[in-house]
C-alpha cells in the first residue's frame, strides 16, 4: 500500500505463564513492545521494543519473546495534531466487499489524513471523534460509501468483524472496490530476563513514520538492546 499505516494499538496482559494473544490483527509489518511502568508514577510508562513481525491475512503467528531485566527508563513523546482543510467539490467513493466477495454492509470506512490521529483497536477504530468530523462513515447495504475529501488525505481504511483493508487514493481511483482481508492473530510467551513475564502489559502496533522524537534511555546502560528468542532472523531499530 502506497500510504502510511494507521496507528494500531492492541494491548494484552500476560497470564501466569507469560502467555498473551492478539486477535483481529490486520496483515502487515508490525511490532510487539512491552510497557514498563515508571517507578513512583503508575500513570507513566516507557516502551521496550521486543520484536518486529510480518503477519499474513488470516495467519496465526506464534512468537517467543524475551525482554531485558527491568531498569529505570526515561521516555519523552510529543504530538502536534494538524488542522483539517476540506477540498470543496470532491468526494471519495468506493465499495467495500467481504473476503467472500459479498457487500460489506455497515463496515466502518475511514479517510486517513496526514497528521490526523487515526488508530485501530480490536476490529474497530479507536474512539477519537472521527465520525463527528466526517472522517468515518458506515458502508451502505450494498457496501458503497462516500467520504469528503481533505487536504493531505492518503488512504481509505475499511474494517468489520470479517476483516480489514487499506488502499491508497490512487489505488481507489484505479479500482473502487475494496476487498477486506481476514484478520490474523499473534500469540506467544514473554520472559523478563530469566523469569516468566507474568502480568506484563504487551502491546502490538504498526510500524510507521514518527511524528516526533522519542527518547529512551536505561540508567547505567549504554544501549537499549533487548534479547530475542526466535527461529527467524530479526532486524530491530537502532538504539536512539
Amino acid at each position: 500500500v502506497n500510504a502510511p499505516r494507521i496507528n494500531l494499538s492492541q494491548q494484552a496482559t500476560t497470564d501466569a505463564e507469560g502467555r498473551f494473544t492478539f486477535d483481529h490483527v490486520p496483515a502487515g509489518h508490525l511490532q510487539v513492545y512491552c510497557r514498563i511502568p515508571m517507578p513512583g508514577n503508575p500513570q507513566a510508562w516507557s516502551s521496550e521494543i521486543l520484536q518486529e513481525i510480518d503477519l499474513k491475512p488470516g495467519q496465526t503467528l506464534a512468537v517467543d519473546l524475551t525482554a531485558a531485566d527491568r531498569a529505570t527508563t526515561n521516555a519523552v513523546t510529543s504530538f502536534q495534531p494538524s488542522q483539517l482543510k476540506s477540498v470543496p467539490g470532491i468526494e471519495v467513493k468506493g465499495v467495500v466487499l467481504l473476503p467472500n466477495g459479498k457487500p460489506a454492509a455497515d463496515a466502518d470506512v475511514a479517510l486517513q489524513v496526514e497528521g490526523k490521529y487515526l488508530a485501530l483497536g480490536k476490529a474497530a477504530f479507536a474512539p477519537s471523534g472521527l465520525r463527528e468530523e466526517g472522517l468515518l462513515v458506515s458502508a451502505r447495504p450494498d457496501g458503497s460509501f462516500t467520504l469528503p475529501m481533505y487536504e493531505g488525505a492518503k488512504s481509505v481504511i475499511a474494517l468489520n468483524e470479517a476483516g480489514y483493508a487499506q488502499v491508497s487514493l490512487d489505488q481507489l481511483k484505479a479500482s473502487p472496490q475494496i476487498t477486506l482481508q481476514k484478520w490474523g492473530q499473534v500469540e506467544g510467551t514473554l520472559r523478563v530476563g530469566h523469569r516468566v513475564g507474568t502480568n506484563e502489559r504487551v502491546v502490538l502496533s504498526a510500524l510507521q513514520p514518527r511524528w516526533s522524537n522519542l527518547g529512551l534511555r536505561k540508567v547505567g546502560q549504554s544501549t537499549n538492546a533487548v534479547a530475542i528468542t526466535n527461529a527467524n532472523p530479526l532486524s530491530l531499530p537502532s538504539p536512539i
Side-chain angles (χ1 to χ4, degrees):
V1 175
N2 297 321
R5 295 294 297 270
I6 67 170
N7 293 285
L8 168 66
S9 183
Q10 284 201 32
Q11 302 182 21
T13 301
T14 57
D15 64 12
E17 297 180 356
R19 295 176 300 192
F20 61 89
T21 299
F22 298 104
D23 55 21
H24 291 84
V25 179
H29 190 53
L30 310 169
Q31 69 179 6
V32 183
Y33 65 90
C34 190
R35 282 190 172 183
I36 306 171
M38 301 292 283
N41 187 354
Q43 302 302 319
W45 50 269
S46 61
S47 298
E48 180 180 4
I49 297 175
L50 298 177
Q51 183 171 332
E52 296 181 21
I53 60 175
D54 288 296
L55 185 68
K56 298 177 181 179
Q59 179 186 15
T60 295
L61 181 65
V63 294
D64 184 17
L65 311 175
T66 299
D69 284 328
R70 290 288 177 258
T72 302
T73 59
N74 296 320
V76 179
T77 60
S78 63
F79 170 66
Q80 295 296 328
S82 62
Q83 297 296 320
L84 288 175
K85 295 182 180 179
S86 63
V87 181
I90 300 180
E91 295 180 323
V92 179
K93 297 182 178 182
V95 178
V96 184
L97 303 177
L98 296 170
N100 61 11
K102 295 182 179 180
D106 296 323
D108 283 339
V109 188
L111 182 69
Q112 181 190 29
V113 180
E114 184 176 1
K116 183 64 179 178
Y117 183 75
L118 178 61
L120 179 66
K122 186 175 180 180
F125 292 107
S128 59
L130 295 174
R131 198 175 295 274
E132 291 74 12
E133 294 180 295
L135 294 175
L136 174 62
V137 299
S138 296
R140 304 180 184 95
D142 61 355
S144 65
F145 66 88
T146 301
L147 286 161
M149 174 61 83
Y150 288 92
E151 293 182 9
K154 298 296 183 181
S155 69
V156 171
I157 301 98
L159 60 83
N160 65 7
E161 282 290 333
Y164 164 96
Q166 179 181 15
V167 299
S168 67
L169 294 186
D170 288 338
Q171 290 173 316
L172 190 63
K173 290 178 182 178
S175 174
Q177 292 186 339
I178 302 175
T179 301
L180 300 179
Q181 295 181 326
K182 293 182 179 180
W183 297 105
Q185 181 171 296
V186 179
E187 58 186 28
T189 57
L190 172 68
R191 297 190 65 84
V192 177
H194 298 290
R195 66 176 178 82
V196 174
T198 302
N199 199 34
E200 295 280 347
R201 182 66 59 85
V202 183
V203 182
L204 181 70
S205 67
L207 290 173
Q208 56 188 321
R210 297 181 182 183
W211 293 307
S212 60
N213 292 328
L214 169 65
L216 178 62
R217 179 174 62 87
K218 292 186 177 179
V219 176
Q221 298 183 18
S222 60
T223 177
N224 63 352
V226 297
I228 306 292
T229 58
N230 191 286
N232 298 321
L234 303 173
S235 176
L236 289 177
S238 300
I240 298 172

